[in-house]
Amino acid sequence: MRVVIAEDSVLLREGLTRLLTDRGHEVVAGVGDGEALVKTIGELDAEGALPDVVVADVRMPPTHTDEGVRAAVQLRRAHPRLGVLVLSQYVEERYATELLAGSSRGVGYLLKDRVADVREFVDAVVRVAEGGTALDPEVVAQLLGRSRKQDVLAGLTPREREVLGLMAEGRTNSAIAKQLVVSDGAVEKHVSNIFLKLGLSPSEGDHRRVLAVLTYLNS
């Protein structure tokens, strides 16, 4: 896996680099602001060396507000094949919504505290690099909480909402069944009901799992 890291804290940037390289991945570049990130990805793409995934902080210089996430959104539009995983100190709904409102392929939003769990973090980076999704449980909880106010998920039962939240965390049906202490068949039934109630047709393929969570973001 080839990775570009965008983080203004040199200590954290070097720590992430060491963490990933120790596990056999290649960090091809490390930058400290959003402008440098966009420029670096453009140069790599021009060389035919687009990385698999970008790991970027939400807040970076010069204003330390939304430079990182704006760069991430720009990159997702310009390079659909590029996985983008953003890290944030807190759940910032507006930024999460902006990032997740486009294509469901290869996107992640994690709280920085998750980096402390090395295995969980590396798994998330790999999942996003492979075109999957990695959403922090707290991000999911807050976005789903907001969505209830919009009545997007009004037709779902409490159990279906619970299953939907676990789906958004990137868990498989078997993992959800284990978490809820139910059968795989019961989870499959809940998932099918979620797709039906949210109007997601079979033609959407595996991405229906992500679209089920993202539907309310575009409401």
Side-chain angles (χ1 to χ4, degrees):
M1 182 175 67
R2 301 175 68 252
V3 187
V4 169
I5 297 175
E7 167 60 59
D8 63 295
S9 167
V10 176
L11 183 62
L12 181 54
R13 187 167 70 236
E14 292 301 319
L16 292 174
T17 298
R18 179 65 179 273
L19 187 156
L20 291 167
T21 55
D22 282 353
R23 282 153 185 79
H25 304 297
E26 180 185 2
V27 176
V28 297
V31 299
D33 61 72
E35 183 177 344
L37 173 60
V38 172
K39 180 180 178 182
T40 297
I41 295 300
E43 292 173 347
L44 289 171
D45 188 37
E47 297 169 1
L50 189 71
D52 300 300
V53 61
V54 165
V55 178
D57 190 5
V58 165
R59 298 184 174 188
M60 289 194 290
T63 68
H64 293 280
T65 54
D66 61 356
E67 283 85 356
V69 75
R70 284 195 287 108
V73 170
Q74 181 178 341
L75 289 174
R76 278 175 57 74
R77 290 171 179 166
H79 308 281
R81 294 184 295 110
L82 177 67
V84 175
L85 173 62
V86 298
L87 301 176
S88 180
Q89 193 68 41
Y90 310 101
V91 179
E92 301 176 82
E93 291 185 15
R94 180 168 65 87
Y95 298 149
T97 300
E98 186 175 3
L99 181 69
L100 300 172
S103 168
S104 61
R105 184 188 185 282
V107 62
Y109 190 113
L110 295 180
L111 297 183
K112 286 188 174 181
D113 288 346
R114 300 290 171 181
V115 180
D117 188 325
V118 173
R119 181 175 179 179
E120 182 176 338
F121 172 71
V122 175
D123 285 349
V125 177
V126 172
R127 189 159 65 246
V128 171
E130 293 176 344
T133 305
L135 299 181
D136 192 283
E138 187 62 27
V139 174
V140 174
Q142 290 200 27
L143 293 179
L144 288 179
R146 187 188 66 170
S147 73
R148 293 191 188 104
K149 297 176 184 178
Q150 300 172 345
D151 292 327
V152 178
L153 305 181
L156 301 185
T157 67
R159 175 63 90 181
E160 288 165 353
R161 289 176 179 172
E162 190 173 11
V163 169
L164 179 55
L166 293 171
M167 286 165 56
E169 292 174 26
R171 304 195 189 209
T172 64
N173 284 2
S174 295
I176 294 173
K178 184 176 180 180
Q179 174 75 17
L180 300 180
V181 194
V182 298
S183 68
D184 287 2
V187 173
E188 290 174 4
K189 183 176 180 180
H190 288 313
V191 172
S192 294
N193 286 340
I194 290 169
F195 292 158
L196 179 64
K197 292 178 180 180
L198 295 184
L200 298 173
S201 68
S203 63
E204 300 290 356
D206 291 339
H207 285 316
R208 286 194 299 172
R209 297 181 70 85
V210 179
L211 292 174
V213 178
L214 303 184
T215 295
Y216 64 88
L217 294 176
N218 293 318
S219 65

